[in-house]
């Protein structure tokens, strides 16, 4: 249980409303202390893109493992070419049959023959026959050569703990002969859909599964299910999300159901629009997040609350996973102090414009939006022409 | 076959070198005309995040499907509340047992009872008993109500063709009752690893599979294999990548192997560093891209050439899939005109610094890099202090 929170039972806020709502910063403090990183596992390196290294990987050997040609051409001893020029072509032997300084045809990436220390490229060598060539330019020692250990030395850090593996890291691991890596286990996110009120179709499950996966979690849970079944199945979960029935209506039973299951609450009601009926609590040591049933409010609350926690315990940044564009507003955004407002905006011609208002927002507006603007609690909005930070969906 | 290219057989450039290298812009013109979008398929909407819509989805019904409460509270006829105030509380009936204007306890998202046109929130209603309440404030008609069709009208565009589906789009599709959607088929990318020279481990396959997946393709091919086997297996591919053996060494057989298989070339040798030994061609109607065997050169050539083609035929943007940061250079970047240079840079304290040089670059440097700077053919580099566009890996 994070410090600074209390073990109160869930207060029934149904038919009453939220007396006070916690500022988003308070919710973040709770979230940043809740839950725990779910341990390590070892996986094949070749499938590990996107996974987060649990331990630093040291190079078990030098790269290159020997002095290699870095380019196609002829390997020579640089000193033998010192006097070469177009006016003074120097004879070189291409095979042991000829008697002269030796030039070895070589391909990039292969080991330098003994005694060689430079690569001549094809343009500076004139081939006479299979056994003989003339060299037209001098080459400096080390030219065209990748020296043993010049790229990475055995025992030094190849990839540091905490790194999210990129496609090219897989090639480096293969080059180092590392077949398996220790990575953070992906947090298991138990999803319980407490029910939307607008029909039999589960709108929230597919969205929450996709969001959870995006943020490095593994969604578990059959979508629409009873809260009891979700709790039973979520026994092994690292985070539990309960979507729907978080509000103040008489059928908003999410908070009470958590209390009946033995859960505790930290806060319920957050100064966030949409998404204000969200709640934070715990079931044993497992953080539980109550998300609103309205799809747009659920999206906002997932992004602002649940995603932050899931990303952190997945070993990723707590920052929102959206590209940010700084764009001028073509129309003002009206907000009110005391709430963090998440305002969908359309972008056209390098300008952003709010779509609808926070109060009448809906998923359909979000789907028309290129992204959203966060209006902090301290502001009443933004004027037309203000440069705002737009979190871009694509 | 794209216009403006020729059907020449592959010229053997081994032991000779690239006489002339095509500017990157020429390669892009070829790539932007090559290949074709691989058709459509229908998939369950709930698993379709990241897929690209092949057809515009029109709303089959209004959203909301009826006038709904947008908030928890009491549904009333607004006109009945006109004279209400704290000094003049008006009596309302909560059940049919009481005789007065009727107020209906209602939860957000449920249908308005007949005759009601506004929602009073809990704070403006004083409950007397199970049957009776007093209303303390008037409410305007439409307040707290989401009118039928106010969010989206039946027959209008919900999601346009070409859209890459976001998590929230899945919720909208579910709300509209759309269970399956037509999406672009992901391009099948045949991978043939013609072989790296630095040992038995396939360094390129895992990287190329991860890159292909990132760019919306489906990698096919067992990694290291002979070119003949790759061609045989890649019969159904939309793009073929041949990695390794693309250069001028005597063992660089990728180009000739393609010619023997009946392929044609468009260009071989591109003014790109690293990655200059890349080539573009076709086998039947299928575009074939030769990528260098050095892992860093392969990465650069994948990003600059192959990824562009794969993203386009996957229905995505041809832009590089990296976030861009504008950062000042703490040290100069030395380049030379006539080549597009891909320079790995480290970022610290909001400054970028080149890592190594283009000539001595290696995957290990790329793995230490936060991203890369593209130096165009026309420039000799950038001075310290110049603001450059850094393509960021994370």
């Amino acid at each position: 249980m994070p410090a600074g929170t209390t073990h109160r039972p869930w207060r029934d806020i149904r038919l009453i409303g939220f007396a006070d709502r916690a500022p988003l910063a308070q919710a973040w403090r709770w979230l940043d202390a809740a839950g725990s990183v779910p341990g390590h596992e070892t996986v094949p390196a070749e499938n590990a893109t996107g996974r987060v290294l649990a331990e630093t990987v040291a190079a078990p050997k030098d790269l290159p493992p020997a002095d290699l040609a870095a380019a196609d051409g002829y390997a020579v001893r640089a000193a033998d070419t010192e006097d070469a020029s177009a006016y003074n072509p120097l004879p070189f032997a291409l095979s042991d049959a000829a008697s002269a300084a030796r030039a070895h045809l070589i391909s990039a990436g292969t080991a330098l023959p003994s005694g060689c220390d430079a690569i001549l490229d094809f343009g500076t060598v004139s081939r006479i026959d299979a056994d003989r060539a003339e060299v037209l330019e001098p080459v400096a020692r080390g030219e065209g050569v990748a020296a043993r250990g010049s790229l990475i030395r055995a025992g030094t850090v190849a990839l540091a703990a905490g790194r999210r593996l990129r496609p090219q890291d897989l090639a480096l691991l293969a080059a180092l002969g590392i077949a398996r890596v220790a990575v953070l286990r992906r947090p298991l996110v138990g999803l319980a859909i407490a029910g939307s009120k607008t029909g039999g179709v589960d709108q929230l499950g597919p969205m929450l599964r996709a969001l959870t996966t995006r943020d490095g979690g593994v969604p578990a849970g059959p979508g629409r299910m009873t809260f009891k079944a979700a709790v039973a199945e979520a026994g092994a979960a690292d985070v539990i999300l309960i979507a729907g029935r978080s509000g103040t209506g008489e059928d908003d039973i999410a908070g009470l159901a958590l209390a009946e299951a033995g859960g505790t609450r930290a806060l319920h009601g957050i100064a966030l629009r949409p998404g204000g009926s969200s709640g934070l609590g715990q079931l044993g040591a497992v953080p539980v997040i109550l998300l609103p049933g309205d799809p747009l409010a659920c999206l906002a609350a997932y992004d602002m609350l649940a995603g932050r926690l899931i990303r952190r315990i997945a070993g990723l940044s707590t920052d929102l996973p959206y590209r940010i564009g700084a764009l001028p507003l073509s129309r003002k955004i009206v907000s009110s102090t005391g709430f963090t407002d998440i305002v969908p905006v359309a972008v056209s011609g390098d300008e952003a414009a709010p779509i609808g208002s926070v109060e009448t927002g809906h998923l359909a507006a979000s789907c028309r939006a290129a992204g959203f603007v966060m209006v902090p609690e301290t502001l009443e909005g933004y004027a037309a022409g203000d440069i705002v930070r737009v979190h871009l969906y694509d």
Side-chain angles (χ1 to χ4, degrees), chain A:
Chain A
M1 174 127 225
T5 57
T6 52
H7 280 276
R8 286 173 290 168
W10 287 90
R11 183 166 50 92
D12 191 353
I13 39 91
R14 292 178 299 162
L15 313 195
I16 297 168
F18 295 103
D20 48 358
R21 293 176 194 257
L24 191 54
Q26 184 184 339
W28 284 357
R29 277 196 300 278
W30 188 90
L31 288 163
D32 291 351
S36 51
V37 173
H40 302 174
E41 63 184 331
T42 302
V43 299
E46 65 174 352
N47 298 324
T49 335
R51 302 303 297 270
V52 177
L53 281 182
E55 296 165 3
T56 291
V57 174
K61 60 182 179 191
D62 288 339
L63 276 186
D67 292 347
L68 300 183
D72 301 318
Y74 292 91
V76 293
R77 192 167 60 179
D80 293 342
T81 68
E82 202 171 343
D83 298 324
S85 75
Y87 304 103
N88 183 36
L90 294 183
F92 273 72
L94 296 181
S95 71
D96 293 329
S99 64
R102 187 71 160 83
H104 304 257
L105 186 58
I106 194 166
S107 293
T110 56
L112 279 194
S114 158
C116 294
D117 56 16
I119 309 293
L120 284 162
D121 64 21
F122 294 124
T124 62
V125 177
S126 171
R127 232 174 132 138
I128 294 167
D129 59 31
D131 297 325
R132 295 174 303 150
E134 289 180 333
V135 171
L136 310 173
E137 277 181 29
V139 65
R141 199 178 160 192
E143 187 76 26
V145 174
R148 174 177 177 167
S150 60
L151 303 168
I152 192 163
R153 288 240 167 250
T156 61
V157 172
L159 297 167
R163 181 188 186 87
R164 190 174 207 187
L165 290 172
R166 305 170 186 160
Q168 59 263 49
D169 296 344
L170 309 192
L172 180 63
L173 290 167
L176 291 169
I178 295 170
R180 297 180 68 81
V181 286
V183 296
L184 300 185
R185 194 161 67 70
R186 292 195 185 100
L188 194 68
V189 179
L191 296 178
I193 309 301
S196 100
K197 295 153 184 169
T198 48
V201 182
D202 174 18
Q203 301 176 31
L204 305 179
M207 177 174 76
L208 289 171
R209 283 194 289 274
L211 289 165
T212 296
T213 304
R214 177 197 73 184
D215 287 337
V218 177
R224 174 185 285 279
M225 63 189 308
T226 66
F227 178 68
K228 268 191 183 157
V231 170
E233 295 211 4
D238 299 297
V239 181
I240 297 173
L241 306 184
I242 304 174
R245 313 281 167 137
S246 66
T248 56
E250 64 177 344
D251 55 355
D252 282 325
I253 44 71
L256 292 177
L258 179 58
E260 280 169 22
T264 54
R265 78 160 172 145
L267 34 100
H268 194 184
I270 291 174
L272 174 69
R273 298 193 304 186
S277 68
S278 301
L280 306 175
Q282 283 181 271
L283 193 59
V286 180
V288 178
I289 304 180
L290 305 188
L291 301 170
D294 172 76
L296 181 62
C298 184
L299 171 65
Y302 175 89
D303 265 348
M304 295 296 141
L305 304 170
R308 183 179 177 96
L309 172 59
I310 292 168
R311 287 190 298 273
R312 180 175 56 77
I313 66 174
L316 306 178
S317 166
T318 56
D319 293 346
L320 286 165
Y322 299 113
R323 200 160 53 85
I324 289 179
L327 297 173
L329 282 174
S330 61
R331 286 192 291 115
K332 69 177 175 180
I333 290 178
V334 178
S335 175
S336 53
T337 56
F339 283 84
T340 300
D341 281 356
I342 308 299
V343 181
V345 296
V347 171
S348 78
D350 280 342
E351 283 189 323
I355 299 179
S357 74
V358 173
E359 288 82 1
T360 65
H362 182 270
L363 196 63
S366 171
C367 291
R368 282 196 301 274
F372 61 88
V373 170
M374 283 177 70
V375 186
E377 293 163 28
T378 50
L379 294 186
E380 292 190 318
Y382 294 103
D386 280 0
I387 307 286
V388 293
R389 284 161 51 91
V390 180
H391 292 79
L392 294 161
Y393 286 126
D394 285 336

